[in-house]
Amino acid sequence: MSAITDPPKGGFQFSQLIYDTRYRSMTIQIVALVLFLLGVFWLLNNAAQNLAALGKPLGFSFLGEAAGYDINQKLIEYNNQMSHGRAALVGVLNTLLVAVLGCFLATMLGVIIGVLRLSSNWIVARIMTVYIEAFRNVPVLLWIVLMMAIFIENLPTPKAFRGDNATASMWFWDTVAFTNRGFYLPKPDFLSGSMVVVIVFLLSIVGVFVFRRWSRKRQEATGEILPNFWISLGILVIPTLLVYFVMGRPIGLESPELKGFNFKGGIYMRNSLIALTLALALYTAAFIAEIVRAGIMAINKGQSEAAFALGLRPNRTMNLIILPQALRVIIPPLISNYLNLTKNSSLAIAVGYMDITGTLGGITLNQTGREMECLLILMAIYLAISLTISTIMNWYNESVKLRER
């Protein structure tokens, strides 16, 4: 009697990479990746050889040379004797300033306009419709230029504030001046002991987040709703004010004053910064409003009717039932609009605002002739900013998405 055994298995053969379905897809991906990297390497090598033939070998030493030009809006110390790298950093900060302010304003306006467009009031809903259609169907560059023209033509010049027969006056107890050159705001003046007040204020912000988190869990467990707004306001303001007066009011305000031909002191925001930020925010808000409207309409109307039947008021229904669910629909397209706003800030050069495109991609590029290096750095900076925004928003989207039990 003889035993029947399985035929011996053969070893791995290279032909399996093509004919075996277990390995075929991986083989194709590896080949595609290698061909792509070879193509990129060939392009970069070809560009480097051509630049070397022109007497401009690829290099970034120009970033350490003196820039020799001024920047009209800056968040950090800078003068024309500093390097091109420092000028690029000032431009990056100016870009981030517009992006952050623009995204914040666009979100606030977009949510309000999107909700108002669903209003039962016929006039309000139609006005919002006209706003949305007007802004999103006109190129953003035209809105930026128009906003700049409005500021220049309608706001008073600094000399209008001078003398006994002044035709213009400052606002908010003579602390804020709106001129055609820009806005002048009071600047915090930090004295001895001010750090304690700042630390207490930061701790109060943390306390607000902790309280809101505890309040939400308490509401989910008991159904009781606390006056979160007033309690949060108390946590934020009362400890800071108490420490502020106990420490002898160590933080003052430096108001702008008219000296010579212009205002001195305070915080100066150029009209180009204001015009660019407002135009980008108003333009992007029109798109966000439609996203918000679509998100709200995606929620079954029966949920609103059930909430009303339980006695919830419309604002409670919107805050507790509709918006939390609509956020899961709203956030993914919202990320794209934040990215678009950030990239559209490169149009700042149209109104003379010196962002990263105006500094590194404009004056530095023209002065040094290093177009390849400047463009590579510009692309890397915008890529880094966009990926950072995407990462933060995707993390937030993950935190609010519906979790199955």
Side-chain angles (χ1 to χ4, degrees):
M1 184 175 179
S2 63
I4 300 175
T5 58
D6 294 335
K9 296 182 179 179
F12 177 79
Q13 298 179 356
F14 284 105
S15 60
Q16 290 180 274
L17 295 176
I18 299 176
Y19 298 109
D20 193 326
T21 56
R22 293 176 298 174
Y23 307 113
R24 185 184 301 159
S25 61
M26 185 180 297
T27 304
I28 295 173
Q29 293 180 53
I30 292 175
V31 171
L33 177 62
V34 170
L35 291 176
F36 173 76
L37 293 177
L38 287 174
V40 172
F41 174 77
W42 179 81
L43 287 174
L44 293 178
N45 186 53
N46 189 44
Q49 289 180 353
N50 289 333
L51 287 173
L54 292 173
K56 296 192 301 181
L58 198 65
F60 298 91
S61 59
F62 70 94
L63 291 174
E65 299 172 0
Y69 61 89
D70 294 318
I71 298 178
N72 47 29
Q73 180 81 45
K74 48 184 181 281
L75 296 177
I76 58 175
E77 185 63 28
Y78 172 80
N79 59 60
N80 56 18
Q81 296 303 313
M82 293 184 175
S83 64
H84 285 290
R86 183 77 172 186
L89 178 60
V90 174
V92 170
L93 294 177
N94 285 347
T95 297
L96 291 176
L97 177 63
V98 172
V100 172
L101 292 177
C103 288
F104 177 76
L105 285 176
T107 305
M108 298 291 291
L109 290 172
V111 172
I112 294 173
I113 295 168
V115 172
L116 289 179
R117 195 178 180 192
L118 295 172
S119 171
S120 57
N121 187 310
W122 188 87
I123 296 177
V124 172
R126 292 302 177 276
I127 290 175
M128 294 302 108
T129 301
V130 170
Y131 168 85
I132 291 171
E133 297 301 331
F135 269 92
R136 71 176 185 173
N137 288 301
V138 175
V140 64
L141 178 61
L142 298 183
W143 288 114
I144 294 172
V145 175
L146 176 64
M147 202 65 67
M148 188 68 177
I150 290 174
F151 281 130
I152 293 175
E153 297 297 334
N154 292 281
L155 291 178
T157 59
K159 69 178 182 181
F161 293 82
R162 182 182 294 113
D164 297 332
N165 298 321
T167 57
S169 59
M170 299 177 68
W171 293 64
F172 303 110
W173 303 281
D174 290 339
T175 58
V176 178
F178 301 110
T179 75
N180 64 351
R181 294 182 183 177
F183 297 171
Y184 297 86
L185 310 174
K187 177 182 178 182
D189 188 12
F190 295 98
L191 306 175
S192 176
S194 60
M195 187 56 65
V196 178
V197 181
V198 173
I199 292 174
V200 171
F201 179 71
L202 294 177
L203 291 176
S204 298
I205 294 176
V206 175
V208 169
F209 280 103
V210 173
F211 165 73
R212 304 280 293 196
R213 186 182 181 89
W214 172 82
S215 176
R216 186 173 62 253
K217 290 183 177 179
R218 182 178 182 274
Q219 179 185 336
E220 292 174 354
T222 65
E224 297 179 6
I225 301 175
L226 296 174
N228 289 330
F229 175 77
W230 295 111
I231 295 177
S232 300
L233 187 64
I235 295 174
L236 185 66
V237 174
I238 293 176
T240 306
L241 279 181
L242 286 176
V243 174
Y244 175 76
F245 285 107
V246 168
M247 298 298 294
R249 296 191 293 182
I251 301 177
L253 287 177
E254 177 191 344
S255 298
E257 295 180 7
L258 185 61
K259 295 179 180 178
F261 296 101
N262 209 344
F263 283 92
K264 304 293 182 185
I267 298 175
Y268 175 43
M269 300 179 70
R270 290 185 63 85
N271 50 10
S272 55
L273 168 63
I274 304 296
L276 177 68
T277 304
L278 278 180
L280 290 176
L282 292 172
Y283 178 80
T284 308
F287 293 89
I288 294 178
E290 285 296 89
I291 295 171
V292 171
R293 185 174 71 92
I296 292 174
M297 294 184 70
I299 308 303
N300 193 328
K301 193 176 180 180
Q303 296 196 29
S304 301
E305 295 173 349
F308 295 149
L310 292 173
L312 287 179
R313 291 171 294 180
N315 60 340
R316 287 283 188 188
T317 303
M318 180 62 70
N319 292 331
L320 298 177
I321 297 175
I322 304 301
L323 279 182
Q325 298 181 81
L327 278 177
R328 299 173 186 119
V329 180
I330 292 171
I331 290 177
L334 194 63
I335 299 174
S336 298
N337 279 277
Y338 285 167
L339 299 180
N340 287 337
L341 188 147
T342 303
K343 289 179 286 187
N344 285 337
S345 68
S346 61
L347 297 172
I349 195 67
V351 289
Y353 181 70
M354 299 296 285
D355 68 334
I356 183 61
T357 305
T359 54
L360 183 65
I363 301 177
T364 295
L365 186 151
N366 290 325
Q367 284 188 355
T368 61
R370 295 288 182 176
E371 64 278 356
M372 181 63 72
E373 293 89 342
C374 290
L375 291 177
L376 287 175
I377 297 174
L378 266 179
M379 293 168 65
I381 289 173
Y382 277 112
L383 181 64
I385 294 174
S386 298
L387 290 179
T388 303
I389 293 174
S390 297
T391 302
I392 294 173
M393 292 303 296
N394 284 326
W395 169 79
Y396 180 68
N397 185 38
E398 188 71 20
S399 67
V400 300
K401 78 175 185 181
L402 185 63
R403 291 182 174 80
E404 297 182 358
R405 298 179 179 176

